[in-house]
Amino acid sequence: MRRAKKIGLLLLVIFIAIQFLQPARNKSGQVMPTDISRTVPVSPAVSALLKTGCYDCHSNNTNYPWYATVQPIGWIVNGHIQKGKAELNFSEFGSYTIRRQKSKLKSIANQVNDNSMPLASYTFIHKNAKLSKEDKALIIDWATQTNEAISTKQ
Ligand code: HEC
């Protein structure tokens, strides 16, 4: 019993200590000139879907839930953001080479088509980010058409 108490106390101390290790926030607070909406045509409907479903992990502006201030949850959230942004950053889409833009658009259509994105752990909590069949079709058509439009421009 005494041992269990000691371990409990130790865990509590560790839990409190890690609260001071907050990851830096992903919030530029502005729409960059390289944002995808300023690079290629994005309809308001598609833009709204991307903002609700993808921008938290794939842009320079995350809308943080309150529990992201609690560690280690904040570290997990931060890990998703860092990894997601490294793969695809909608805020910096305009700085990508044409080749990369096209491959990302193709990847967006694929990931949405096979339900890999948004991440299931995300839609489990953010119910409004769940994509309906119609939402998915909108994003896939947009990504496919935009990809084709870019190739004819070349
Ligand atoms: C909770 C965070 C999160 C959300 C929300 C999210 N993603 Fe992702 N995304 C990631 C992470 C992390 C990766 C890196 C690969 C992995 O771990 O699966 C990724 C990878 C990708 C890739 C692969 C890029 C490549 O080069 O192959 C695409 C495309 C993508 N996401 C599109 C989207 C789209 C479109 C949405 C919205 C409909 C979305 N994601 C929502 C976190 C997220």
Side-chain angles (χ1 to χ4, degrees), residues 78-92:
N78 188 50
H80 282 159
I81 296 168
Q82 297 309 326
K83 256 210 227 149
K85 271 172 67 171
E87 294 272 347
L88 168 67
N89 188 339
F90 285 121
S91 302
E92 293 171 7

Side-chain angles (χ1 to χ4, degrees), residues 138-151:
L138 259 179
I139 296 179
I140 294 167
D141 287 351
W142 163 77
T144 311
Q145 281 163 16
T146 309
N147 185 8
E148 279 162 11
I150 293 178
S151 46

Side-chain angles (χ1 to χ4, degrees), residues 9 31 50 55 61 68 86 116 124 128 139 151:
L9 193 64
V31 181
L50 298 182
Y55 269 53
N61 283 296
S116 302
F124 180 72
N128 63 336
I139 296 179
S151 46

